Every structure is written in structure tokens, then in C-alpha cells.
Amino acid sequence: MRIAYHVFMDSIAILDFGSQYAQLIARRVREAQVYCELFPWDAPQETILAIQPKGFILSGGPKSVYEEGAPFIQEFIFKTGLPILGICYGMQALTHALGGQVDSSAHREYGQAQINSLISNSLVSSLSSVWMSHGDRITKLPEGFVALAKSGNSPLAAMGDLQRKYFGVQFHPEVHHTPNGEKLLRHFVVDICGVKPEWTPASIIEESVARIQKQVGAQRVLAAVSGGVDSSVAAALVHQAIGDQLVSVFVDTGLLRKNEGEQVASAFRNHLHSELIAVDASDEFFSALQGVIEPEQKRRIVGEKFIRIFEKQAKQLGQPNFLVQGTIYPDVVESSAPDRDKAQKIKSHHNVGGLPEDMQFELVEPLRYLFKDEVRAVGEALGLPEALVWRQPFPGPGLTVRCLGEVTRERVSRLREADAILIEELSKAGLLGSSSRSFSSSTAERSSVDSTAGQQSLSTSQAFVVLLPVRSVGVMGDQRTYQEAAAIRAVTTEDFMTADWARLPHDLLARVSSRIVNEVEGINRVVYDITSKPPATIEWE
């Protein structure tokens, strides 16, 4: 069941026409401290209007507006009389719907392009270099529109109907390759739509507390905690809302990082001051995973096993009806949850796609529509310790998704030791950090970040070791070995929706590789993953 935010503030509805950048548009709007939600282009009217939007942004998309079955703008969007901004395909869809002309272009534009503003003090006046990605172009403006900008291959690179407050841009202002693109989006949502920039950590906490209290009333609630930032902030929000009604349950699956169980217990008892029940269920998880190799099956097994253990705890606690989970927006998008059913399913997250249908709980998910840096900002505002808020992300299914092939105690132990070496060396080198920027930072700070976005940061947003089900020949002490290989994965990212591989120093990689091969029995080869997301995901499974 989709639980929307109860909107205390103004909002923007973003309609997704299939763009790879749709989530990035939402990120940029949130950075302007404006709440928004992303909807499929054909979502029902009541669903879209439920957030009481003060304007619409239409995303790009892979199709041409004149193709059969191409996405279109639903009529009720125009009937609202609210401002509209069309981006790339969104601009073409706007043109097509209002009587203009869109045609295939003999000169396509992909990559960096220069635009010239045609009207002073317009939506696009502050832009010159932009990122284009289109094969069609506007050849005739709809009635009431004027050209706002042109480029070498697009005489109509931006357009506007100033009376109705309808705008279109052929380029992508949401990507960092368009300097000052975030200013365009902020100008549209704040100045043109009239939205008050009130989406801050304090307002998120206020809304979340109100929604949680309304949802659970006076009933007791279980919180599934793993020690990661998402589950920790979710538990802290619920504790803020209902206090002693919350009982936190930490399940030691046997699939955690080195010393993680002790660290989690200490953090929750000392900082959250919440009741914590620790359950050692490692035997159950390893037994359930025996012989399983397929990644989706692993995730489903872990998801169901979690729920069954929580149901058992619930019975002992008088059967609470609610379960808190740290589901965040990227989890929902990648798992293709019901409210994003037009998205391609990438993988199931144990707390989204891996839940059993006969689950006895109603979920409480206060972070479901937040991005990772928003979650961290909320955690800091709640007073959680820095070590907890800025902890490296860790998947709910634990090391099972980093132990490719069969999951056994021996292989997980091997992986755990190798991972601990990587984390130790990154920490010593000062590279165990996060490149995520705070969504509540000032516009000037965000512009500064964007201006250097092309420069690779060494600091890692997420780093870990993957154990491969591949054996290779090696030589140790003049003896032939035939052992497993390990892969190092380290990425930099702003929002975990996209990521680039971290350019770690070669001497650091050499040191980590040498230590793993010499100190971890059963591994004789180490490789480094240099694939971005997309096309790969951050995790291997």
C-alpha cells in the first residue's frame, strides 16, 4: 500500500516519460528545499493531485511524440491551470499537445552544446553551456509561445508561454553537465510556481512524526534495525513520534561485517535509548541459504526469514501490528514497487520486493520517499552520532549479496576478513567517507559542488569486497594454489541512483591486495571493479 506524505507544504509533481534522469530531476527539486514526487506519466489523476502540486515538471523520454503509443500529457494537467516545465521529450510532448510541430532532425544533438538566450531575464537567461540528448526538434511553436533560446542545431532550444506559465527546454538542466541548471529548476519551482522552499530536515521530521502518530496510534511497534543509516534514522524518527511504544529488534544473521553486532547494540542503547532485543539467528539464515546461488532467490529468502523472525518476536511482545523498516526511495525505484510499476525491475530489496505476501505486519516506512543524503540530514537533525549517520551503506540482506555463489559460514568468514582489511586501509588513508552533498546546503554551496562535479573525488561513498565463485591458479611459497578471487568495489556518488568508480591510489590498492592475499586464507587473487552505475549496479547482486 502506498502511503503518501501528508502535505503540510507546497509541492511539485514530476511526470516520468521514461527518462533515465527522472529521479535526478526530483533530486534537484529537493535540493531547492521543495517537496516533490515522481509519478508515471499515466498515473491516475487522483494519485497525482493528492499531493496538491503547485506545478508540473515533465521529464525526458526515449520515444518520439509522433510514434504510435508514445506517452502524452493527460488532459487534466492543463485543466489545473498550473505552471508546466517540459524537459526534452517533455518539451516536445507539450508542443505536440498544444498544436505545435515536432519533427525528426537531420542534425541530432548529444552532449555539450551552447545556447544563446533570446529574451532578457527569462527562465534560461543564466545558462550558456547545456547538455543535449535528442534526435527530434521543435519546428513550429504552439500558439502563445515565444522562443527563449537557440543553439547551433536547435533554433528553438527553449520556449515559453509567459501568460499561462508553460515552458519547455530541449536540454537537461538536471544533470551536472549543465552549469547553473539547478538555478533554472529553482527559479521555476520557487519563483514561477510560487512554492515556498520549506522542505528541510526539521519539516521532514515534523511531517514524519505526524504521519507515524496517525498511522500507529497507541499501539506498540517493532523496528527492524541493522545498524545502517537507513534503519537507524527510521527507528529514531519512530521513537521521536511514539517513544516507549517502540521496541527495536536487531537480528544477527551471521551475515554482518566484522564486529558489527557489538557496534549496533552499543549505538542503539547509548544513543537512541530505545529498548533493543538482540536475536542470534545465524543458524536459521545459513540453513535457509544452503545450496542457493541465484541472487533474487537469496534476497527473497532473507526477506522472508527476517519477517518470520520478527513475527516470532511479535508474539512474545503481545503481537504488535506494525513493523518499522528503513526503506528509502532508491530501494523503491529499483524494486519497481506498485507505485512505480512502469519502471524496469532491477533487483528486489529484502525490505521491498522480498517481503512475503502473507506478512502479518503493516509496514511503517518513514523514509520511503527520501534520498540517502536527505536521510543523513534528518539523522543529524535528530542528534544521532556522526559514526552512525555517516556509516558506509550496507545492504539489508547483508554479506549474502556480496558472497556470489553459495553462501556458507566459511565463505562469509573469508569475505568478512577481506572486507575489514579494505575498510581499515581506506580509513587510514582518509578515504572512507561520503561524496553525498547535503540537500539542505545553500544554493551557493550546491553551485560550487556542481562546478567541480566533473573532477573525481577520491573519498568513497561506498566501498566493499565481493567474494567471487571463481577459482584461479596462484603461487605462494613456491606452492601451487587454486583459490577464490575477490573483487574490490569502491564508488563515489551524490544520491546512489547513479555512481562512478572511485579513482583510488594505486599504492593503496596494491597494499589492500597484498594484505588480503597474505592474511585471508582461501583468496589468492584480487581485482578492482571499474564499472559505473549505470550500466552496473553498486552491489554485484
Side-chain angles (χ1 to χ4, degrees):
M1 179 179 68
R2 182 184 188 278
I3 301 175
Y5 272 92
H6 175 71
V7 182
F8 291 132
M9 61 194 70
D10 299 332
S11 63
I12 295 292
I14 301 171
L15 304 184
D16 183 4
F17 289 90
S19 172
Q20 61 178 317
Y21 301 133
Q23 291 83 29
L24 195 52
I25 299 171
R27 282 295 304 111
R28 295 296 179 254
V29 173
R30 297 275 187 92
E31 285 169 5
Q33 298 183 338
V34 168
Y35 182 70
C36 62
E37 283 196 35
L38 183 63
F39 301 95
W41 65 271
D42 57 351
Q45 175 178 341
E46 58 272 19
T47 300
I48 296 173
L49 298 185
I51 68 168
Q52 301 172 29
K54 297 198 72 173
F56 300 95
I57 297 179
L58 317 177
S59 83
K63 290 188 176 288
S64 295
V65 293
Y66 44 78
E67 288 183 26
E68 184 177 353
F72 58 89
I73 305 170
Q74 299 186 74
E75 184 62 30
F76 78 86
I77 300 295
F78 296 111
K79 289 182 178 179
T80 65
L82 296 172
I84 300 173
L85 170 62
I87 296 174
C88 198
Y89 180 92
M91 175 185 181
Q92 296 165 10
L94 190 62
T95 300
H96 187 68
L98 297 176
Q101 183 69 34
V102 180
D103 293 302
S104 178
S105 174
H107 302 285
R108 302 184 177 189
E109 282 186 304
Y110 295 101
Q112 215 72 43
Q114 300 297 313
I115 63 169
N116 296 316
S117 180
L118 302 176
I119 298 178
S120 60
N121 299 319
S122 74
L123 183 70
V124 298
S125 296
S126 62
L127 279 69
S128 57
S129 180
V130 299
W131 186 260
M132 293 281 193
S133 180
H134 68 100
D136 296 337
R137 68 177 182 175
I138 314 299
T139 54
K140 176 188 175 185
L141 288 173
E143 185 177 350
F145 281 79
V146 294
L148 300 180
K150 66 178 181 179
S151 71
N153 287 326
S154 295
L156 301 172
M159 66 180 190
D161 181 330
L162 307 185
Q163 185 69 31
R164 289 183 288 183
K165 298 183 179 179
Y166 292 168
F167 299 91
V169 293
Q170 191 59 77
F171 51 88
H172 289 272
E174 70 273 23
V175 302
H176 72 254
H177 299 291
T178 298
N180 295 321
E182 82 287 346
K183 291 183 179 179
L184 181 154
L185 290 170
R186 181 180 177 84
H187 178 50
F188 175 74
V189 299
V190 174
D191 300 323
I192 294 174
C193 296
V195 177
K196 297 177 182 177
E198 298 176 336
W199 181 246
T200 64
S203 69
I204 294 173
I205 293 171
E206 180 184 358
E207 282 205 31
S208 298
V209 166
R211 285 187 298 107
I212 293 164
Q213 291 173 338
K214 181 178 180 180
Q215 182 183 4
V216 308
Q219 298 190 56
R220 298 197 77 189
V221 179
L222 284 181
V225 300
S226 66
V229 59
D230 303 331
S231 66
S232 299
V233 174
L237 268 174
V238 175
H239 189 259
Q240 177 105 340
I242 62 174
D244 293 341
Q245 291 172 233
L246 174 70
V247 178
S248 298
V249 178
F250 169 64
V251 177
D252 187 346
T253 62
L255 301 165
L256 302 174
R257 290 171 289 197
K258 192 170 184 178
N259 301 323
E260 195 152 35
E262 297 86 345
Q263 294 169 2
V264 169
S266 174
F268 269 75
R269 287 176 175 138
N270 295 336
H271 297 284
L272 282 185
H273 306 295
S274 169
E275 181 180 352
L276 180 71
I277 297 174
V279 180
D280 184 354
S282 57
D283 288 342
E284 295 182 54
F285 278 88
F286 279 113
S287 176
L289 290 166
Q290 185 175 358
V292 178
I293 295 176
E294 206 279 319
E296 281 296 288
Q297 189 178 357
K298 289 181 184 178
R299 289 177 174 271
R300 287 192 294 270
I301 288 171
V302 171
E304 180 172 2
K305 185 60 63 177
F306 263 106
I307 293 301
R308 299 311 175 207
I309 291 171
F310 290 133
E311 288 174 344
K312 187 184 301 183
Q313 291 299 315
K315 289 180 181 178
Q316 298 175 11
L317 294 167
Q319 200 66 40
N321 295 323
F322 297 95
L323 175 65
V324 180
Q325 289 199 135
T327 308
I328 64 173
Y329 204 20
D331 296 341
V332 176
V333 172
E334 288 192 350
S335 293
S336 189
D339 53 327
R340 290 283 293 145
D341 59 6
K342 297 297 184 296
Q344 175 67 39
K345 180 174 179 178
I346 306 301
K347 58 185 177 182
S348 295
H349 288 262
H350 83 289
N351 53 355
V352 181
L355 298 176
E357 293 182 1
D358 61 345
M359 182 177 66
Q360 300 301 307
F361 295 104
E362 179 179 330
L363 294 180
V364 179
E365 297 176 306
L367 313 179
R368 187 175 178 86
Y369 293 98
L370 300 187
F371 290 91
K372 179 71 74 172
D373 59 337
E374 293 175 317
V375 173
R376 294 192 195 279
V378 168
E380 289 179 328
L382 287 168
L384 293 179
E386 183 177 341
L388 206 60
V389 173
W390 292 99
R391 190 184 189 92
Q392 286 262 322
F394 189 58
L399 294 178
T400 184
V401 299
R402 296 176 181 175
C403 184
L404 277 59
E406 186 175 6
V407 180
T408 66
R409 284 189 182 274
E410 179 185 10
R411 296 190 74 229
V412 168
S413 176
R414 186 176 298 151
L415 171 59
R416 183 182 292 117
E417 293 301 319
D419 186 76
I421 289 172
L422 172 65
I423 298 304
E424 179 184 341
E425 290 296 337
L426 286 173
S427 181
K428 286 180 180 178
L431 300 179
L432 192 64
S434 173
S435 63
S436 292
R437 61 190 181 189
S438 172
F439 84 103
S440 58
S441 60
S442 70
T443 301
E445 289 170 334
R446 289 196 298 273
S447 297
S448 176
V449 171
D450 276 344
S451 67
T452 58
Q455 302 173 11
Q456 293 300 325
S457 169
L458 293 181
S459 184
T460 59
S461 304
Q462 191 169 357
F464 53 88
V465 171
V466 178
L467 187 63
L468 307 179
V470 175
R471 293 182 181 273
S472 64
V473 174
V475 178
M476 293 183 182
D478 295 328
Q479 296 292 320
R480 179 185 185 274
T481 62
Y482 190 58
Q483 298 176 339
E484 291 187 302
I488 296 172
R489 179 68 158 153
V491 300
T492 61
T493 179
E494 294 179 358
D495 50 31
F496 292 85
M497 296 300 300
T498 60
D500 195 13
W501 61 279
R503 272 59 168 178
L504 297 178
H506 291 180
D507 58 346
L508 171 66
L509 290 172
R511 189 161 58 251
V512 172
S513 174
S514 177
R515 284 195 58 191
I516 290 175
V517 170
N518 283 284
E519 298 176 27
V520 181
E521 186 176 352
I523 297 177
N524 69 351
R525 190 178 297 271
V526 177
V527 298
Y528 189 45
D529 183 349
I530 58 170
T531 318
S532 62
K533 174 188 178 180
T537 55
I538 295 177
E539 298 286 349
W540 279 43
E541 287 193 346

